Amino acid sequence: IGFFMLAYEGEDFSHLFRHLVHNYAFVDYQCLVWTGEWAEQDRTWASLPVEEWPTREEWPETGPNWHMAQLARLTETTWLLHKYDGKNLADCRNAAIEYYRRVAQEDPYLGWVLFSDPDEMNYEAASICRMAETNHTAFNFRFKNILISKEGKPTASFSETIRMFRLDDDGVIKFSGKVHESLENSLAYLHKMDRPISVPNYPHLTVNGGLSGDAEFMAAKLTRYTLALKEQLEENPYDGSAWTALALQLLNDQDVVNAKTCLEYACLSSPQAYLPYRELGLLHLNEARKVMYMALKNCNAGHTHYDTMLRIVQFLEEISPQPLLIDTGDVRVSDVLEKLPDFPTDNINPMIID
């Protein structure tokens, strides 16, 4: 198993420590992809024996700091450099995949890649090791995202994404997307090639603290995401994952009409994908819940259909509760969009749902 993680300038050292020390006990390789500034003259220490490293007081200004370097040394972690250009994190993650493909040429037993974000909790070691003994293509991980609601109360939303995947020989598996980068396009390509694909769930829920910042921080973060998605869709209007991510941003601003349009575009762009159909279905169920609630509210308890409507409302509340909103203060993030990106329909077949 090869593990990787992106390391940012100003990263909380305790996050890196927690992951690298924990993973050192059960993975075979670890690497950190440095995404910030790292001047060429400041990289010399990385190729020197530790006895020749600069002292803490003499440590270079750019690149990983002294604490990070010592942690990586003690956990036998390799440093990679791929500067984040502010637009495309997928390229940074792909640098780690390419590194492990080179390692696999020397070590044929390296068969899996595992990754995490620094602000997430650790994975359970025994489960990861058992997963690496299977013949599956990848594993889907479910996340509990800690949020601060618009009322200032801590709450949580749930999401899922692939975090462990088999390292293929032909280089098909790679990340795509400027925001919420994923392997979805690679798996779709494998599906078109009639390759068998199996993606079961990692058996535990992982806590993610990356969305628990204050309103100002989250407004800035989501604004960057929205602008990056706009740029991505202007480059490729048939990117289903980008349309899905943009829809979720719009739902946080309670713009249901445009969110629905984005999800429909996502389904048309990626007819083999799972997430856009699920999110579009949940959107419709949520709208149905609101309408059925009003019908129930206006219905007399003695009405013939009252009990039936009550059960329907209770069921809809269970499977499609009111979406949790991230607090962005007075900022309406989607206002940075004058309109939705264009979606050419000339070569798109009508969506058919059996």
Side-chain angles (χ1 to χ4, degrees):
I1 303 172
F3 173 81
F4 80 86
M5 191 162 55
L6 304 187
Y8 307 91
E9 291 179 332
E11 184 61 68
D12 188 329
F13 173 75
S14 67
H15 291 165
L16 300 182
F17 181 90
R18 174 165 44 81
H19 283 282
L20 295 181
V21 171
H22 174 75
N23 294 342
Y24 186 65
F26 68 94
V27 302
D28 302 284
Y29 300 93
Q30 297 196 99
C31 76
L32 289 173
V33 182
W34 183 254
T35 62
E37 292 289 343
W38 196 354
E40 186 173 355
Q41 65 272 17
D42 291 343
R43 303 176 205 165
T44 308
W45 62 266
S47 58
L48 296 175
V50 65
E51 295 81 8
E52 299 179 27
W53 280 13
T55 65
R56 184 173 174 181
E57 291 73 22
E58 300 170 339
W59 198 259
E61 293 184 3
T62 65
N65 62 35
W66 185 86
H67 293 92
M68 293 179 180
Q70 294 293 346
L71 173 63
R73 175 180 67 85
L74 293 171
T75 55
E76 301 181 60
T77 299
T78 300
W79 284 104
L80 304 178
L81 170 62
H82 195 101
K83 185 178 178 181
Y84 176 46
D85 60 5
K87 297 180 179 179
N88 198 337
L89 275 176
D91 288 345
C92 299
R93 299 194 190 277
N94 287 332
I97 298 180
E98 291 307 313
Y99 165 73
Y100 281 128
R101 286 201 174 102
R102 294 193 297 272
V103 173
Q105 293 176 0
E106 304 294 330
D107 181 1
Y109 293 103
L110 175 59
W112 290 90
V113 175
L114 173 73
F115 71 100
S116 180
D117 285 339
D119 48 19
E120 296 167 354
M121 297 304 294
N122 296 331
Y123 301 138
E124 202 275 319
S127 296
I128 297 295
C129 291
R130 291 295 299 273
M131 288 154 56
E133 297 172 353
T134 69
N135 293 319
H136 296 299
T137 311
F139 283 90
N140 186 58
F141 285 56
R142 295 163 296 167
F143 291 86
K144 182 177 182 179
N145 308 298
I146 306 302
L147 310 175
I148 303 299
S149 70
K150 292 184 179 294
E151 293 75 31
K153 298 179 180 179
T155 182
S157 67
F158 295 87
S159 61
E160 54 188 66
T161 186
I162 291 172
R163 286 301 175 87
M164 182 172 171
F165 54 91
R166 186 173 292 280
L167 191 63
D168 61 323
D169 298 327
D170 43 14
V172 172
I173 293 292
K174 63 181 180 179
F175 291 93
S176 60
K178 297 178 184 294
V179 178
H180 306 305
E181 54 281 0
S182 73
L183 302 171
E184 184 175 300
N185 291 341
S186 295
L187 294 180
Y189 183 75
L190 290 175
H191 181 80
K192 290 180 180 178
M193 296 171 64
D194 293 325
R195 298 276 187 89
I197 297 175
S198 175
V199 187
N201 283 332
Y202 168 67
H204 306 287
L205 195 63
T206 303
V207 176
N208 169 32
L211 298 177
S212 59
D214 61 26
E216 183 179 358
F217 174 83
M218 292 310 304
K221 184 174 185 176
L222 295 183
T223 298
R224 289 196 305 272
Y225 282 1
T226 302
L227 291 173
L229 288 169
K230 176 177 180 290
E231 182 177 338
Q232 183 172 338
L233 287 166
E234 288 172 346
E235 294 174 3
N236 178 15
Y238 299 126
D239 190 324
S241 61
W243 282 115
T244 303
L246 183 58
L248 298 179
Q249 303 283 71
L250 291 166
L251 285 174
N252 196 68
D253 285 338
Q254 302 184 67
D255 186 350
V256 176
V257 173
N258 282 321
K260 180 175 179 290
T261 299
C262 289
L263 289 172
E264 289 173 346
Y265 290 165
C267 293
L268 290 168
S269 301
S270 304
Q272 303 297 331
Y274 149 75
L275 189 59
Y277 287 100
R278 189 196 74 168
E279 293 299 330
L280 182 58
L282 289 174
L283 184 151
H284 283 297
L285 287 174
N286 194 46
E287 292 299 291
R289 177 184 56 79
K290 295 176 184 177
V291 175
M292 290 302 297
Y293 176 80
M294 291 305 301
L296 181 67
K297 182 180 178 182
N298 296 336
C299 182
N300 187 285
H303 194 281
T304 306
H305 298 302
Y306 182 87
D307 289 341
T308 300
M309 288 192 293
L310 177 60
R311 289 195 297 271
I312 291 174
V313 169
Q314 291 172 337
F315 177 69
L316 291 175
E317 285 178 343
E318 178 182 346
I319 65 172
S320 180
Q322 179 68 29
L324 298 170
L325 304 179
I326 299 172
D327 184 14
T328 55
D330 297 328
V331 178
R332 183 179 165 87
V333 173
S334 58
D335 285 346
V336 298
L337 301 174
E338 294 181 3
K339 64 182 184 66
L340 293 182
D342 292 331
F343 183 75
T345 57
D346 297 345
N347 298 317
I348 296 292
N349 293 322
M351 180 172 59
I352 300 175
I353 301 177
D354 293 332

